[in-house]
Amino acid sequence: MAFLERIGWRYWLVAIVMGLALPALATGIGISPVMRFGGLLVIINGCLAIILGRLIYRKTQPGWWLLIWPLIYLAGSLWFLPRYTRYFAIVYLCISYLAYGLTQAKTESK
């Protein structure tokens, strides 16, 4: 179990569910492209990127864990989503890094 904790199994699990399973499900059940873009990509995944960035800092996890979610999302977008959604991987990485950094700055100023 120590090995699983060291590699951050919870973050991997969330990334796999949200980056692979959710796009596959959204495409499979035929959710409209507008809802996939607005609801899934912007709102849900954007909030997830913020939450993961803050959690990784607060729990003093390694900074490279910020890459888990965007890379898994990139794989899911290559397989299940339209071509333009691949760029969201960079956006999610930037949002996670900003949340990580802003949480760091916020706690240092207290």
Side-chain angles (χ1 to χ4, degrees):
M1 190 69 173
F3 172 74
L4 292 176
E5 290 297 326
R6 225 175 348 142
I7 64 167
W9 69 272
R10 290 178 184 98
Y11 299 105
W12 284 96
L13 181 65
V14 167
I16 289 170
V17 168
M18 296 300 291
L20 293 174
L22 193 60
L25 180 68
T27 303
I29 63 174
I31 293 178
S32 73
V34 173
M35 290 303 295
R36 269 188 284 167
F37 178 79
L40 177 66
L41 298 178
V42 175
I43 296 173
I44 294 174
N45 290 350
C47 290
L48 179 66
I50 293 170
I51 291 167
L52 289 177
R54 293 177 62 111
L55 275 176
I56 288 171
Y57 178 78
R58 285 192 178 157
K59 296 192 181 272
T60 62
Q61 304 298 341
W64 68 267
W65 285 9
L66 292 171
L67 294 172
I68 295 171
W69 158 239
L71 290 176
I72 300 290
Y73 168 79
L74 181 62
S77 70
L78 289 171
W79 290 331
F80 304 111
L81 296 173
R83 186 176 215 146
Y84 67 87
T85 60
R86 296 174 188 165
Y87 301 107
F88 276 98
I90 297 168
V91 173
Y92 298 144
L93 177 62
C94 292
I95 291 172
S96 293
Y97 185 72
L98 274 171
Y100 180 86
L102 291 175
T103 303
Q104 181 179 8
K106 190 176 184 180
T107 56
E108 287 176 359
S109 66
K110 287 185 178 180

